[in-house]
Amino acid sequence: MSWLVLIISVLYAAVLNRIVRSWNSIETISVENNEPVTVVVVFRNEEQNLPILINGLKTQSIPQSELNIIFVNDHSIDKSAQIVDDFLRNTHIQSQHISIANLGLEGKKAGVTSAVSAANTDLILSTDADCILPPTWVETMRKNAIEKSFVSGPVKFVESNSWWKKLSQLDFLSLIVLGFSSINKTRPTLANGANMMFRKSAFLQVNGYVGNEQIVGGDDVFLLEKLAIAAQPIGVCKSEEALVQTGQPQSFEEFIRQRLRWAGKTRLQLNNPRHDWLLALMVCYMFFFLVIIGALFGGWKAAILAFIVKFVADYLFFKNILPFFKERILLKKVWIASVLHPIYVVLIGVSSKFTSIQWKGRIYKK
């Protein structure tokens, strides 16, 4: 048993090392690009967040003549639509407001598809209504879009003093880095819809989200997957000047719902041979979970060995990636995350097969 524990633990450390090496090898690109850009924002009941997002859009560093904005209202019942309309009346930026309720549609993917149809630029940049945008966001992302059909941008949660939200931040940043590293090694696995740029021509070529419309979420990973299969050029933008901050779940219940939704779309990717890192990590998490269960029945020596190796691997991993996100302070929480992460990953993964998903006030049954 000790040898098996050591082998799996070393495999886990090796996978993290490969991810870090790929992350560290990503070069920052700074090539001038004057292509016009359409920013797409699909929103649903975001009256608290839209003013912050709109202020970020108004202060972008590129000329307003090169910026277009399409807001897509997904059945909001609060003052979100009014906030958007007020912005449209008082801006010189070319902007549109689409209501997909009027089209008999609902959901993020339907909203993005509608915006793509309405866009008059090839370059499209997607974000969420609860995001905080740096003024250099659009300019930096499009510098990385030359000869690319898809560019994944960096995202982190808005900082919080809550201990469990700090653990959630560690988890989230590890996913962002995994996504970047996998794209860098031409085995694209993950992206985040809060910060992704793609070309309308490429989106139409792969028929957008046709084939996965009924799956909750996935406006990011399913488009990435289709473009990868079509051998479209895909890249990343590893620049602090493009780092978007997105809203974090405000309660533990919201956190669980978010992760259940993410697990539902991630599970569909595990059969793809390009996703070997993701599959290897899931196998390791399952093994660590079983080791924890075994410790309750006397196998504590194996558990200590496994988590010594795991903690060292996790600490070195986060020590490498956290400086980019200006989150070095989170290193103090790695030891907690190292133990809790396998438990939550396995339980969420299993639960996602049987649990209905609640998202934006809607319930999606299995």
Side-chain angles (χ1 to χ4, degrees), residues 52-53 128 130-134 158 243-246:
I52 298 173
L53 175 84
D128 293 330
D130 62 349
C131 287
I132 300 174
L133 311 173
V158 175
L243 179 58
V244 167
Q245 296 183 65
T246 188

Side-chain angles (χ1 to χ4, degrees), residues 205-219:
Q205 181 179 331
V206 299
N207 294 317
Y209 301 115
V210 173
N212 50 54
E213 304 97 327
Q214 303 306 314
I215 303 171
V216 183
D219 58 286

Side-chain angles (χ1 to χ4, degrees), residues 115-132:
V116 170
S117 297
N120 56 18
T121 70
D122 189 43
L123 212 51
I124 296 175
L125 184 53
S126 170
T127 192
D128 293 330
D130 62 349
C131 287
I132 300 174

Side-chain angles (χ1 to χ4, degrees), residues 69-308:
I69 306 173
I70 299 179
F71 293 95
V72 183
N73 184 359
D74 181 12
H75 299 254
S76 294
I77 57 175
D78 62 1
K79 296 180 181 179
S80 296
Q82 179 182 331
I83 292 171
V84 170
D85 288 338
D86 288 344
F87 166 70
L88 264 61
R89 282 193 294 268
N90 296 283
T91 185
H92 296 295
I93 302 173
Q94 184 173 335
S95 307
Q96 300 180 55
H97 182 187
I98 299 172
S99 173
I100 58 174
N102 297 333
L103 303 175
L105 304 171
E106 69 173 34
K108 177 76 177 290
K109 290 197 286 288
V112 172
T113 301
S114 299
V116 170
S117 297
N120 56 18
T121 70
D122 189 43
L123 212 51
I124 296 175
L125 184 53
S126 170
T127 192
D128 293 330
D130 62 349
C131 287
I132 300 174
L133 311 173
T136 51
W137 174 56
V138 176
E139 179 182 5
T140 306
M141 286 293 289
R142 75 174 181 178
K143 284 181 179 179
N144 290 262
I146 294 178
E147 298 182 351
K148 293 289 190 299
S149 292
F150 185 100
V151 177
S152 180
V155 186
K156 75 172 186 177
F157 281 142
V158 175
E159 294 181 16
S160 170
N161 292 324
S162 168
W163 71 270
W164 73 266
K165 287 185 179 180
K166 290 182 183 294
L167 297 181
S168 175
Q169 180 83 285
L170 283 172
D171 174 50
F172 185 67
L173 295 181
S174 69
L175 293 175
I176 295 298
V177 171
L178 172 60
F180 268 53
S181 299
S182 63
I183 291 173
N184 187 47
K185 289 298 182 182
T186 64
R187 45 162 58 88
T189 302
L190 299 172
N192 194 290
N195 191 5
M196 68 177 190
M197 178 171 272
F198 58 91
R199 294 192 177 274
K200 177 176 181 175
S201 54
F203 184 94
L204 297 176
Q205 181 179 331
V206 299
N207 294 317
Y209 301 115
V210 173
N212 50 54
E213 304 97 327
Q214 303 306 314
I215 303 171
V216 183
D219 58 286
D220 38 32
V221 296
F222 292 132
L223 179 58
L224 174 66
E225 180 78 12
K226 278 194 168 186
L227 293 173
I229 292 173
Q232 292 281 351
I234 296 168
V236 298
C237 175
K238 185 184 175 184
S239 172
E240 295 176 6
E241 295 184 339
L243 179 58
V244 167
Q245 296 183 65
T246 188
Q248 196 167 170
Q250 294 305 301
S251 68
F252 188 71
E253 183 181 5
E254 287 184 18
F255 167 79
I256 295 299
R257 289 176 180 175
Q258 182 190 65
R259 293 314 199 265
L260 285 170
R261 177 167 56 87
W262 289 1
K265 62 184 180 183
T266 301
R267 190 175 66 250
L268 299 174
Q269 299 176 278
L270 295 178
N271 293 327
N272 192 315
R274 285 198 307 273
H275 302 160
D276 52 349
W277 288 353
L278 183 61
L279 178 60
L281 288 174
M282 293 304 296
V283 169
C284 291
Y285 289 138
M286 178 64 76
F287 182 80
F288 290 136
F289 178 79
L290 295 176
V291 167
I292 292 173
I293 299 299
L296 301 177
F297 296 94
W300 56 270
K301 290 183 179 180
I304 290 175
L305 174 62
F307 282 93
I308 286 176

